[in-house]
Amino acid sequence: MPLGGADLPWPTGEPTAGEAQRARAMADRDKAREFTLARLALRGLVASVLGLPPQVILPAYECPDCGQGEHGSPGFALYRDHGGQVGLPIAASASRAGGWALLAVAPADDGERVRLGVDLAAVADLRNAVPEAAFSRAERRRLSQVPDRGAEAARLWARKEALLKARGEGLRTDPATVETLDNPSIADLSTSGLGLPGGFVAALAVVKP
């Protein structure tokens, strides 16, 4: 989805106090606006999939260091009138790049939950930004064999980011130890099929706990 002026096909609600505070702390106002829009869009999509109004959906993100709050791996809870909240059985992930956002949600199927990770990247931003040491030996071999190393490096990096998000690890894990080639948990996404302009790569990872 573009993080521009177009209205979303689902209601989004309002940012939480924590989200508003994080946005105000960002020096780049465009990045702050995109952060807020993407957070609201993901929460609104979760509400739409579950058939709930976005006003009753609270962020319940999971951070390995801080616990549950408003940053880390996306999670959501249902607000109850008496002041309590209960976790919602849905996996979600989001990624932003170049004025666009990629969102994914997956409700629990018969009680079986999965973990999702998506990553969206602009090839121009990553062409010379990812060091060689971030790739595994097999991935470095792959990079030496393709005509457009920069584009392939961006594709592999998006796959790594998606898998690390799905695992809930992020870059706490050495990316060189994360093998993405021939990994059935990760899929490249068609950026044209998603309505993205040229120059982007995207990946989705699905992991069962």
Side-chain angles (χ1 to χ4, degrees):
M1 56 167 279
L3 294 171
D7 292 333
L8 292 172
W10 58 82
T12 60
E14 299 294 329
T16 65
E19 288 167 338
Q21 183 179 17
R22 285 183 65 184
R24 287 194 299 270
M26 295 179 182
D28 188 321
R29 301 322 302 163
D30 287 338
K31 296 295 184 186
R33 177 182 58 81
E34 291 176 359
F35 161 79
T36 301
L37 288 173
R39 289 290 288 249
L40 292 178
L42 182 60
R43 193 153 66 246
L45 180 57
V46 167
S48 176
V49 168
L50 295 177
L52 296 168
Q55 294 81 4
V56 302
I57 305 294
L58 301 175
Y61 286 45
E62 290 287 345
C63 171
D65 297 328
C66 308
Q68 195 172 88
E70 294 199 16
H71 69 274
S73 300
F76 299 91
L78 175 65
Y79 174 78
R80 289 180 168 172
D81 291 337
H82 55 69
Q85 63 185 60
V86 60
L88 291 170
I90 191 166
S93 186
S95 182
R96 292 178 288 123
W100 291 77
L102 178 62
L103 313 176
V105 299
D109 184 14
D110 294 330
E112 183 179 10
R113 298 184 66 174
V114 297
R115 296 182 67 94
L116 295 181
V118 293
D119 195 65
L120 175 67
V123 173
D125 292 342
L126 293 181
R127 185 169 290 278
N128 298 307
V130 184
E132 189 87 2
F135 296 104
S136 70
R137 181 179 299 179
E139 290 166 341
R140 291 196 298 270
R141 188 181 307 113
R142 167 72 180 171
L143 290 172
S144 71
Q145 297 170 344
V146 296
D148 190 342
R149 183 191 183 283
E152 183 65 4
R155 184 184 77 87
L156 293 177
W157 186 252
R159 290 169 66 86
K160 282 184 186 289
E161 288 268 25
L163 183 58
L164 288 170
K165 288 179 182 179
R167 290 179 179 176
E169 299 170 7
L171 292 178
R172 291 174 179 81
T173 298
D174 179 358
T177 66
V178 179
E179 183 59 70
T180 66
L181 294 175
D182 301 320
N183 188 324
S185 299
I186 319 167
D188 296 327
L189 300 179
S190 167
T191 51
S192 61
L194 293 169
L196 288 157
F200 285 89
V201 289
L204 166 69
V206 181
V207 175
K208 292 185 178 181

